[in-house]
Amino acid sequence: MARSLNEWLWQHEFWLPPGITWEDMQESEDIHYPQPHDLLLSIPFALIMVVIRCAFERAIALPLSSKLGVRDKQRAKAQPNPMLETFYSTCCKNPGEGELISLAKQCDLPVRKVERWFRRRRNTDRPSLSKKFCEACWRFAFYFISFFTGLAVLYDKPWLWDHRECWTGYPQQPLQPSLFWYYLLELSFYCSLVFTLPFDVKRKDFKEQIVHHAATIFLISFSYCANYIRIGTLVMIIHDASDCVLEPTKIFNYMKWKKTCDSLFMIFSAVFLISRLVIFPYTVLYNTYYYSMEIFQPFFGYYFMNALLIILQLLHVFWSCLIIHMVYKFILQGTMEKDMRSDTEESDKDEEREKIWEKEKNGITYFSNITSNSYIQRNGSEPLNNRTHLTNGHVKER
């Protein structure tokens, strides 16, 4: 059964244009073509990259965060409560009003304390600022290396400057060693992101990130097997161009360097919108959809490749809407709005509101005590020269 499935999967009609078979893609001593089994190397390389990342974050990024003044906030811990912990783990992390009242009765606690427990418990699961800083440093290091590696590999390649060259001689385009290692570098990185997905910082676009990683891995893998190497390299270098600027923007944001962060954000916005909404559709989408038709007739690989590219483009549009909204706020307010994808802590404002409420409550009690003392004085119970009065919220002796 496995053999039949393997034969069905690797039918040349799926991967190659009409009129081309796997026999036409046989290698020789001087000519090498992409082989699907080469992609298996990405798994051990991805694991090695995870190890390198852990070492990098612990030995370089974490000490760097301390030197640059990135400090984690002191979070109030939720007191141990087995019943609330069970509900938090199995049912819901953000219960509604009815559930809060029910839990308060079961635990014999005020509703406000139960609500505070869940708020503090959620904050415990949120990543610390130093963790975000370390992750941004690692991604910046990779995207920087990857982008300039791509430039070095593609600078002298004709298809970088003339996009029709992507289809010259397709699919019998020999695989150069530099292109192979560039592909392996990118595929290993995105596989490593899948391995570390449960431990990475989760933002509000977490589901979109999963779709993006899956589409990217499928796109890189399929483009390699079907020898869409030239298109694949263009996709990778276009994506790395804006990612190189995004990560240092996050880093300076965590460092509280507001002006530098705002400047980099505007540069990132321009690079992202131009590369993802202008260059990518023309250089990649239009190229694969129209120019390829001059060389061969449509086949399964043609439709599958374009479907993956369209998924990427839809994600580009989604993120572009978020960025445009942030730029609009920046123009109106003169400062960059907090990343809309970030999951912010709840305790800061809510705890402050509770403290203010308690102070106001104490102030009302204090004020009522003062007024009753003044009433006693007016009835002659105490000397008039010791009478107190309230001025601007402060008690003074007359």
Side-chain angles (χ1 to χ4, degrees), residues 310-366:
I310 290 173
I311 290 174
L312 280 183
Q313 185 59 27
L314 291 176
L315 291 171
H316 296 165
V317 173
F318 170 77
W319 284 314
S320 296
C321 292
L322 297 181
I323 292 171
I324 291 172
H325 179 77
M326 294 176 70
V327 171
Y328 177 74
K329 291 289 186 181
F330 178 85
I331 294 173
L332 291 182
Q333 300 175 0
T335 184
M336 189 184 74
E337 188 186 46
K338 187 174 287 186
D339 191 349
M340 296 171 62
R341 304 174 306 142
S342 298
D343 192 11
T344 56
E345 294 190 24
E346 303 168 85
S347 61
D348 295 336
K349 293 182 179 180
D350 295 333
E351 295 285 355
E352 287 175 7
R353 287 197 198 100
E354 289 184 3
K355 289 178 181 178
I356 292 173
W357 181 81
E358 290 176 359
K359 287 180 180 179
E360 289 177 351
K361 182 179 178 181
N362 294 334
I364 293 171
T365 305
Y366 189 46

Side-chain angles (χ1 to χ4, degrees), residues 63-225:
L64 184 63
S65 67
S66 301
K67 291 183 179 180
L68 294 177
V70 179
R71 297 286 183 268
D72 294 331
K73 293 181 179 180
Q74 293 295 330
R75 294 171 175 171
K77 294 184 178 180
Q79 296 181 353
N81 190 310
M83 185 176 295
L84 296 181
E85 184 66 35
T86 302
F87 185 89
Y88 180 87
S89 303
T90 59
C91 298
C92 179
K93 296 183 178 182
N94 193 5
E97 184 177 354
E99 292 172 319
L100 287 173
I101 295 173
S102 176
L103 289 170
K105 291 179 180 179
Q106 295 176 32
C107 298
D108 194 22
L109 292 173
V111 176
R112 184 176 293 275
K113 285 191 175 181
V114 176
E115 184 179 6
R116 183 188 303 166
W117 188 94
F118 276 95
R119 184 167 60 245
R120 290 178 175 177
R121 184 64 180 83
R122 287 193 297 269
N123 285 337
T124 303
D125 288 345
R126 289 188 171 90
S128 62
L129 197 62
S130 59
K131 177 177 175 61
K132 293 180 180 180
F133 180 89
C134 292
E135 182 178 312
C137 285
W138 163 249
R139 295 196 180 208
F140 171 65
F142 173 81
Y143 289 131
F144 183 85
I145 293 172
S146 178
F147 177 68
F148 285 99
T149 298
L151 284 180
V153 169
L154 298 177
Y155 180 77
D156 59 344
K157 302 299 186 293
W159 63 87
L160 181 64
W161 314 104
D162 183 4
H163 309 316
R164 290 178 183 267
E165 287 292 327
C166 290
W167 310 109
T168 301
Y170 179 83
Q172 295 168 312
Q173 298 171 337
L175 175 64
Q176 301 177 18
S178 59
L179 297 178
F180 167 75
W181 289 109
Y182 181 43
Y183 248 75
L184 188 61
L185 175 68
E186 292 277 354
L187 182 58
S188 300
F189 174 72
Y190 283 102
C191 287
S192 71
L193 290 184
V194 173
F195 294 158
T196 60
L197 202 59
F199 313 103
D200 287 342
V201 176
K202 292 180 176 60
R203 303 182 186 275
K204 293 180 180 178
D205 61 346
F206 179 69
K207 294 180 180 179
E208 289 80 6
Q209 287 286 352
I210 294 177
V211 175
H212 175 268
H213 294 342
T216 302
I217 291 173
F218 274 113
L219 182 61
I220 294 175
S221 302
F222 181 81
S223 64
Y224 186 87
C225 295

Side-chain angles (χ1 to χ4, degrees), residues 18 27 40 72 113 132 152 168 216 225 257 268 273 293 384 395:
E27 295 184 330
L40 296 176
D72 294 331
K113 285 191 175 181
K132 293 180 180 180
T168 301
T216 302
C225 295
W257 290 26
F268 160 73
L273 295 176
M293 299 290 288
L384 293 174
V395 178

